[in-house]
């Protein structure tokens, strides 16, 4: 079971790396609900999360998430102690804290540009997170941490990118830099024309193939000289008839 879980996580992580440019150290925003569940199930987030995600992680939270724990019952005091140890990422609500779920959603925006993972047990928040493409989701189930598989919305986004309907910001950058490298600026059209000409005048591969065939026979002559001689003898016998068919009955 454990190996299977790890395998799924590996697949999911490489999905986010490839399609959404996630890089280590993974930025993981954690809320009070996740900390509380971790505490209850004796999960050491700091030790276990890097192992599970097979990479460096940066555990963080927001001021709003911390503030929310203060207002909740004392049972959650332990969760607050854990959450306090994580880096606090600046949110928009410095003077006016909002519920953690609202705050975390605001950290992601529409496209999760900072490549945050979200670790939460809040089901309402989870539902909302699944509507944003490219947000890896961590939760705790039966005393283990689980990295959720990519959401439908995420998969659809990737599909659209692959079909060329959407261009990812990161891809857009690389396209631009490629264009610059090839000098496709204002004179782009002219250069494209030249490239097409090159493509049309490309009989080179064919000539290369012929060249390859030519050097082979000489090698054969050197190494398999005897075989060649035998073939020559056969050819000599039916001198009159050029066709090889004539030679067969005479040999038999
Ligand atoms: Zn906030």
């Amino acid at each position: 079971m454990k190996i299977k879980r790890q395998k799924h996580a590996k697949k999911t992580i490489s999905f986010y790396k490839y399609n959404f440019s996630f890089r280590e150290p993974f930025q993981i925003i954690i809320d009070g609900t996740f900390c509380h569940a971790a505490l209850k199930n004796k999960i050491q987030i700091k030790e276990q999360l890097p192992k599970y995600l097979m990479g460096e992680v940066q555990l963080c939270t927001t001021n709003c998430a911390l503030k929310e724990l203060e207002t909740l019952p004392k049972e959650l005091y332990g969760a607050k102690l854990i959450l306090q140890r994580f880096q606090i990422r600046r949110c928009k609500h410095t003077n006016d804290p909002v519920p953690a779920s609202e705050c975390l959603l605001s950290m992601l925006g529409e496209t999760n540009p900072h490549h945050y993972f979200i670790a939460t047990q809040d089901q309402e928040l989870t539902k909302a997170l699944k509507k944003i493409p490219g947000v890896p989701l961590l939760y705790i189930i039966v005393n283990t941490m689980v990295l959720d598989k990519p959401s439908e919305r995420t998969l659809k986004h990737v599909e659209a990118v692959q079909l060329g309907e959407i261009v990812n910001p990161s891809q857009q950058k690389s396209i631009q830099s490629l264009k610059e490298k090839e000098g496709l600026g204002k004179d782009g059209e002219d250069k494209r024309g030249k490239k097409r000409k090159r493509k049309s005048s490309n009989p080179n591969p064919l000539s290369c193939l012929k060249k390859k065939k030519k050097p082979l026979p000489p090698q054969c002559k050197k190494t398999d000289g005897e075989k060649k001689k035998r073939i020559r003898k056969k050819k000599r016998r039916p001198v009159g008839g050029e066709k090889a068919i004539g030679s067969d009955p005479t040999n038999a």
Side-chain angles (χ1 to χ4, degrees), residues 149-162:
K149 61 180 194 298
S151 67
E152 281 293 313
R153 179 74 190 83
T154 297
L155 293 174
K156 270 184 188 167
H157 178 88
V158 170
E159 201 180 319
V161 169
Q162 281 166 353

Side-chain angles (χ1 to χ4, degrees), residues 208-221:
C208 285
L209 282 175
K210 280 173 191 169
K211 277 173 195 168
K212 274 178 191 171
K213 279 175 188 170
K214 277 173 189 172
L216 280 174
Q219 281 174 357
C220 290
K221 272 176 193 171

Side-chain angles (χ1 to χ4, degrees), residues 8-20 147:
H8 282 297
K10 197 175 181 181
K11 201 177 156 193
T12 303
I13 291 161
S14 48
F15 172 87
Y16 284 111
K17 277 185 176 171
Y18 183 76
N19 293 300
F20 293 94
L147 177 63

Side-chain angles (χ1 to χ4, degrees), residues 11-220:
K11 201 177 156 193
T12 303
I13 291 161
S14 48
F15 172 87
Y16 284 111
K17 277 185 176 171
Y18 183 76
N19 293 300
F20 293 94
S21 312
F22 276 68
R23 296 285 176 267
E24 286 175 54
F26 301 128
Q27 311 289 310
I28 302 175
I29 303 188
I30 300 170
D31 74 355
T33 61
F34 189 84
C35 278
H36 182 61
L39 193 66
K40 232 170 51 180
N41 292 289
K42 293 174 185 167
I43 292 171
Q44 307 283 332
I45 299 173
K46 211 178 164 186
E47 279 79 42
Q48 292 181 32
L49 203 49
K51 279 183 200 162
Y52 177 48
L53 298 181
M54 289 158 288
E56 256 184 81
V57 299
Q58 227 158 52
L59 306 176
C60 44
T61 189
T62 69
N63 213 18
C64 298
L66 270 173
K67 278 273 182 323
E68 187 182 68
L69 279 184
E70 283 172 11
T71 64
L72 293 173
K74 280 185 182 174
E75 309 164 14
L76 296 174
Y77 185 67
K80 195 196 162 213
L81 286 182
I82 297 172
L83 203 60
Q84 271 176 345
R85 293 184 210 149
F86 305 149
Q87 277 180 32
I88 294 177
R89 287 293 149 91
R90 197 179 288 173
C91 63
K92 301 174 192 167
H93 327 102
T94 329
N95 299 319
D96 206 4
V98 296
S101 54
E102 197 181 308
C103 181
L104 296 201
L105 282 172
S106 81
M107 297 291 284
L108 299 175
E110 280 173 22
T111 57
N112 190 12
H114 299 292
H115 308 299
Y116 287 126
F117 284 62
I118 300 286
T120 185
Q121 299 292 98
D122 183 335
Q123 295 204 355
E124 283 298 311
L125 175 59
T126 300
K127 236 189 236 174
L129 290 173
K130 285 185 175 178
K131 287 175 189 163
I132 306 170
V135 184
L137 193 63
L138 283 154
Y139 55 88
I140 290 165
I141 188 164
V142 203
N143 70 42
T144 41
M145 281 186 291
V146 177
L147 177 63
D148 203 14
K149 61 180 194 298
S151 67
E152 281 293 313
R153 179 74 190 83
T154 297
L155 293 174
K156 270 184 188 167
H157 178 88
V158 170
E159 201 180 319
V161 169
Q162 281 166 353
L163 291 171
E165 289 166 7
I166 307 172
V167 179
N168 264 351
S170 59
Q171 284 175 325
Q172 218 158 17
K173 271 183 203 165
S174 62
I175 288 167
Q176 269 177 355
S177 66
L178 271 177
K179 276 183 180 174
E180 280 164 17
K181 268 181 198 170
E182 300 201 4
L184 292 177
K186 287 164 192 171
D187 309 326
E189 284 175 15
D190 294 335
K191 289 189 177 178
R192 272 178 202 164
K194 278 175 192 172
K195 269 181 191 170
R196 275 172 200 161
K197 275 174 196 170
R198 273 178 207 161
K199 273 179 190 173
S200 63
S201 64
N202 257 355
N204 292 339
L206 287 173
S207 60
C208 285
L209 282 175
K210 280 173 191 169
K211 277 173 195 168
K212 274 178 191 171
K213 279 175 188 170
K214 277 173 189 172
L216 280 174
Q219 281 174 357
C220 290

